[in-house]
């Protein structure tokens, strides 16, 4: 059985690190992959999330040949449309307007790479329904700044939670990493807290 101290998190996301700690897993190191995350032409959102997670794990694994490397990617999608990470208020506003009064999907790609060429990956999809947002709702949320750098322009674990009317699937997947799925993957390779 591998020791838990041989797990490298290939992500700069503090939310993913917090989620792992929530289930008793503290990686030895955090070593983010630096990849172009632009979707390929006609790439559907689920495939995009899974591909990026797999590519991140593959990029970081050679730097840690004796360790397990965990990578993830989160994609917020309305139909076939991948919503961007909101880096400015205009992008966040456009995302929130699109999400208002409808359901969307959050696709979480998880990939694990390990010694001797071990490769495991899975896709987790959660459906999220957002109430119809008023202009005041949007303006108040934008003023909070929570949207900055978030896929789809929102963080479910913060103020935006008041606008979510239903979730079908893994809540932690929306935050950044499905804990039940990563727990099962780590159990499957004998990596335990």
């Amino acid at each position: 059985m591998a020791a838990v101290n041989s797990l490298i998190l290939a992500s700069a996301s503090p939310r993913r690190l917090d989620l792992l700690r929530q289930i008793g897993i503290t990686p030895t190191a955090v070593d983010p992959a630096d990849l172009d995350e632009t979707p390929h032409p006609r790439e559907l959102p689920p495939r995009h999330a899974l591909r990026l997670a797999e590519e991140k794990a593959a990029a970081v694994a050679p730097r840690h040949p004796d360790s397990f490397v965990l990578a993830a990617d989160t994609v917020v999608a309305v139909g076939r449309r991948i919503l961007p990470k909101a880096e400015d208020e205009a992008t966040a506003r456009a995302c929130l307007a699109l999400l208002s009064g409808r359901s969307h999907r959050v696709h979480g790609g998880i990939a694990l790479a390990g010694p001797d060429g071990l490769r495991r990956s899975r896709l987790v999809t959660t459906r999220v329904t957002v109430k119809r947002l008023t202009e005041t709702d949007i303006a108040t949320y934008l003023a909070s700044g929570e949207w900055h750098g978030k896929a789809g322009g929102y963080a479910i674990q913060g103020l935006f939670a008041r606008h979510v009317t239903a979730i079908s699937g893994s809540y932690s997947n929306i935050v950044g990493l499905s804990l039940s799925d990563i727990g099962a993957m780590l159990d499957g390779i004998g990596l335990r807290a």
Side-chain angles (χ1 to χ4, degrees):
M1 178 182 294
V4 75
N5 65 1
S6 62
L7 181 68
I8 309 300
L9 178 60
S11 173
S13 167
R15 292 167 303 285
R16 290 191 181 113
L17 188 56
D18 288 345
L19 285 167
L20 286 173
R21 288 179 176 150
Q22 182 180 328
I23 59 170
I25 296 171
T26 301
T28 306
V30 174
D31 185 4
D34 184 22
L35 300 178
D36 177 3
E37 297 190 13
T38 305
H40 289 168
R42 295 184 299 283
E43 185 174 44
L44 296 176
R47 179 65 201 135
H48 181 64
L50 191 57
R51 176 182 63 81
L52 285 179
E54 291 170 344
E55 287 181 1
K56 289 174 183 179
V60 174
R63 301 196 294 249
H64 306 277
D66 298 323
S67 298
F68 292 97
V69 174
L70 171 64
D73 195 77
T74 303
V75 171
V76 175
V78 175
R80 295 170 158 246
R81 182 175 178 180
I82 296 172
L83 300 190
K85 286 183 182 174
E87 298 298 340
D88 58 62
E89 193 171 296
T91 301
R93 178 179 293 281
C95 288
L96 295 174
L98 190 60
L99 297 174
S100 176
R102 68 190 322 168
S103 292
H104 64 278
R105 287 182 168 68
V106 177
H107 302 287
I110 305 171
L112 194 59
D116 302 322
L118 177 131
R119 296 289 186 269
R120 301 275 190 278
S121 61
R122 67 173 61 181
L123 178 71
V124 182
T125 298
T126 305
R127 184 177 172 174
V128 181
T129 304
V130 176
K131 74 170 194 163
R132 184 163 306 284
L133 302 172
T134 66
E135 185 52 42
T136 300
D137 292 333
I138 292 173
T140 301
Y141 189 68
L142 291 174
S144 76
E146 277 188 356
W147 52 267
H148 192 265
K150 305 295 190 301
Y154 76 91
I156 188 80
Q157 69 275 23
L159 297 173
F160 196 77
R162 72 178 296 164
H163 304 302
V164 174
T165 60
I167 295 172
S168 178
S170 169
Y171 170 83
S172 61
N173 181 52
I174 307 166
V175 179
L177 189 63
S178 172
L179 294 179
S180 61
D181 287 278
I182 192 55
M185 288 175 77
L186 294 176
D187 286 350
I189 60 168
L191 194 64
R192 298 182 185 274

